[in-house]
PDB file of all heavy atoms in Angstrom:
ATOM      1  N   ILE A 319     -12.017  -6.539 -12.864  1.00  0.00           N
ATOM      2  CA  ILE A 319     -11.996  -6.733 -11.413  1.00  0.00           C
ATOM      3  C   ILE A 319     -13.376  -7.169 -10.919  1.00  0.00           C
ATOM      4  O   ILE A 319     -13.496  -8.075 -10.096  1.00  0.00           O
ATOM      5  CB  ILE A 319     -11.523  -5.442 -10.700  1.00  0.00           C
ATOM      6  CG1 ILE A 319     -10.036  -5.213 -10.973  1.00  0.00           C
ATOM      7  CG2 ILE A 319     -11.796  -5.512  -9.197  1.00  0.00           C
ATOM      8  CD1 ILE A 319      -9.530  -3.843 -10.569  1.00  0.00           C
ATOM      9  N   ILE A 333     -10.440 -18.517   0.286  1.00  0.00           N
ATOM     10  CA  ILE A 333      -8.990 -18.472   0.506  1.00  0.00           C
ATOM     11  C   ILE A 333      -8.307 -17.796  -0.682  1.00  0.00           C
ATOM     12  O   ILE A 333      -7.441 -16.933  -0.506  1.00  0.00           O
ATOM     13  CB  ILE A 333      -8.419 -19.885   0.769  1.00  0.00           C
ATOM     14  CG1 ILE A 333      -8.948 -20.408   2.107  1.00  0.00           C
ATOM     15  CG2 ILE A 333      -6.893 -19.879   0.767  1.00  0.00           C
ATOM     16  CD1 ILE A 333      -8.604 -21.839   2.415  1.00  0.00           C
ATOM     17  N   LEU A 376      -0.151   9.468  -2.082  1.00  0.00           N
ATOM     18  CA  LEU A 376       0.062   8.591  -0.931  1.00  0.00           C
ATOM     19  C   LEU A 376       1.495   8.578  -0.396  1.00  0.00           C
ATOM     20  O   LEU A 376       1.694   8.416   0.805  1.00  0.00           O
ATOM     21  CB  LEU A 376      -0.321   7.151  -1.293  1.00  0.00           C
ATOM     22  CG  LEU A 376      -1.766   6.921  -1.729  1.00  0.00           C
ATOM     23  CD1 LEU A 376      -1.949   5.476  -2.193  1.00  0.00           C
ATOM     24  CD2 LEU A 376      -2.720   7.232  -0.598  1.00  0.00           C
ATOM     25  N   HIS A 438      -0.229   0.516 -24.938  1.00  0.00           N
ATOM     26  CA  HIS A 438      -0.343   1.890 -24.451  1.00  0.00           C
ATOM     27  C   HIS A 438       0.076   1.923 -22.984  1.00  0.00           C
ATOM     28  O   HIS A 438      -0.745   2.058 -22.092  1.00  0.00           O
ATOM     29  CB  HIS A 438      -1.800   2.343 -24.617  1.00  0.00           C
ATOM     30  CG  HIS A 438      -2.030   3.790 -24.328  1.00  0.00           C
ATOM     31  ND1 HIS A 438      -2.523   4.227 -23.135  1.00  0.00           N
ATOM     32  CD2 HIS A 438      -1.838   4.893 -25.079  1.00  0.00           C
ATOM     33  CE1 HIS A 438      -2.638   5.540 -23.163  1.00  0.00           C
ATOM     34  NE2 HIS A 438      -2.234   5.970 -24.326  1.00  0.00           N
TER      35      HIS A 438
END
Side-chain angles (χ1 to χ4, degrees):
I319 290 168
I333 293 173
L376 300 174
H438 188 261

